[in-house]
Amino acid sequence: MRALSLIVLLCAFAIPVAGCGGDDDDSGGGGGGSGSSSSGATNTESSGGGAASGGETLKIAADPSGALKFDKSSLTAKAGKVTIVMDNPSDVPHAVEIEGNGVEAEGETVTKGGVSKASAEVKPGEYEFYCPVDGHKQAGMEGTLTVK
């Protein structure tokens, strides 16, 4: 009887602990935010295939000198799932956000060496991408995403 009580007690502790550990959708970037960073975020072209809507990854970078600008001011993608991956080689914190046509997807704010990702289902039209950190968009850290 004592062994059975011990097993029941261990199960009572094991089940709640197994449920801990965070959201499986988080790709390991930590710190919250809707688009977390991951080490596999270096694709620069369309990934082709996969989900019914496809998927395309576009790569940009913040200016390494700390200037409030991206290395690209215009991007082009096909309709479907689009992910903008922004590397931050700067000491200034940055993020990337996609907005327009009813879409708003914000990546995590990251510091030097970090990667911010914003993903959205987009239809043909024009969208803007920008850094949502206070004052950065207004200072010129923005661009146009054209979806065909």
Side-chain angles (χ1 to χ4, degrees):
M1 187 68 170
R2 185 174 199 153
L4 182 59
S5 296
L6 182 58
I7 291 171
V8 170
L9 183 62
L10 288 174
C11 286
F13 285 110
I15 292 171
V17 170
C20 295
D23 183 359
D24 289 341
D25 291 339
D26 186 3
S27 58
S34 62
S36 56
S37 61
S38 73
S39 60
T42 57
N43 296 338
T44 58
E45 296 299 322
S46 173
S47 59
S53 63
E56 191 166 357
T57 301
L58 306 170
K59 190 168 174 61
I60 61 173
D63 186 86
S65 72
L68 298 181
K69 63 181 183 176
F70 294 119
D71 64 344
K72 297 175 184 143
S73 60
S74 64
L75 299 171
T76 303
K78 294 178 184 173
K81 182 176 181 183
V82 172
T83 301
I84 298 178
V85 177
M86 183 214 63
D87 290 322
N88 186 5
S90 165
D91 289 324
V92 179
H94 294 298
V96 65
E97 183 164 340
I98 303 168
E99 191 173 318
N101 300 318
V103 169
E104 186 171 354
E106 184 175 345
E108 178 180 2
T109 299
V110 295
T111 55
K112 187 172 187 169
V115 176
S116 180
K117 296 189 300 182
S119 296
E121 288 289 331
V122 293
K123 296 179 180 178
E126 285 200 353
Y127 299 78
E128 67 177 332
F129 64 91
Y130 59 91
C131 179
V133 174
D134 287 344
H136 290 201
K137 177 182 175 183
Q138 295 79 1
M141 199 167 187
E142 60 184 334
T144 302
L145 168 62
T146 302
V147 178
K148 296 182 179 185

